[in-house]
Amino acid sequence: MLEISGLASWRITLPHTTAAVPIARALIRTALADIAVSADSDTAELLTAELVANAVEHTSGSSPIELVVELLETGCQVEVHDGDPAPPGDLSRPAPGAEPDPWHEHGRGLLLIRALSSDCGHRPTEQGKAVWFTLPARSRPAGH
């Protein structure tokens, strides 16, 4: 079991391909598996997969993507870094008339991130941008 006193974090470089999505899901699942107080791992996996998939789909080039997971007593924060400085879209609310079509396969990632995270956003980095979300801590039932 991993004990957290303060902050624990992981940083991993992922390939700029769709193969990065299952790797990112496995990392977040592993990071949250053995701690007593964590965020909802299913939600963390889903939102991490959305951020990584968006970085692969919406950024050009072959520069790697970086996944950063920070575990906090208050929950977790996940960031995905890519080499494109352009913002990912409005993470605070959808643009007028930009609600995703529920019948389309794509276009709901930012909606999911806004709806399921406690906070989300993006920030510029030296190499491009970081898109992030946070999830609150959730106590595990006794015996788990």
Side-chain angles (χ1 to χ4, degrees):
M1 178 180 281
L2 173 65
E3 297 295 326
I4 296 181
S5 57
L7 174 72
S9 65
W10 288 262
R11 182 178 294 261
I12 187 169
T13 301
L14 301 169
H16 195 275
T17 68
T18 57
V21 176
I23 296 168
R25 288 183 79 111
L27 177 68
I28 191 73
R29 182 174 48 250
T30 300
L32 298 178
D34 290 330
I35 57 176
V37 178
S38 72
D40 176 9
S41 62
D42 291 335
T43 302
E45 274 190 63
L46 173 65
L47 299 186
T48 299
E50 289 294 335
L51 285 185
V52 172
N54 281 349
V56 169
E57 182 177 345
H58 298 293
T59 62
S60 60
S62 61
S63 61
I65 295 164
E66 191 170 51
L67 175 65
V68 179
V69 180
E70 293 185 85
L71 303 178
L72 310 164
E73 290 180 19
T74 58
C76 76
Q77 180 166 315
V78 176
E79 290 186 347
V80 173
H81 297 233
D82 64 55
D84 185 351
D90 191 349
L91 284 165
S92 61
R93 63 188 175 347
E99 283 294 329
D101 183 337
W103 298 106
H104 286 160
E105 185 176 326
H106 299 289
R108 294 184 299 272
L110 294 180
L111 176 65
L112 285 172
I113 292 164
R114 282 191 306 270
L116 299 177
S117 68
S118 58
D119 198 10
C120 60
H122 68 278
R123 63 182 173 77
T125 64
E126 289 181 19
Q127 293 80 28
K129 71 176 169 298
V131 184
W132 57 271
F133 67 86
T134 58
L135 294 175
R138 173 177 96 164
S139 296
R140 286 193 170 170
H144 287 94

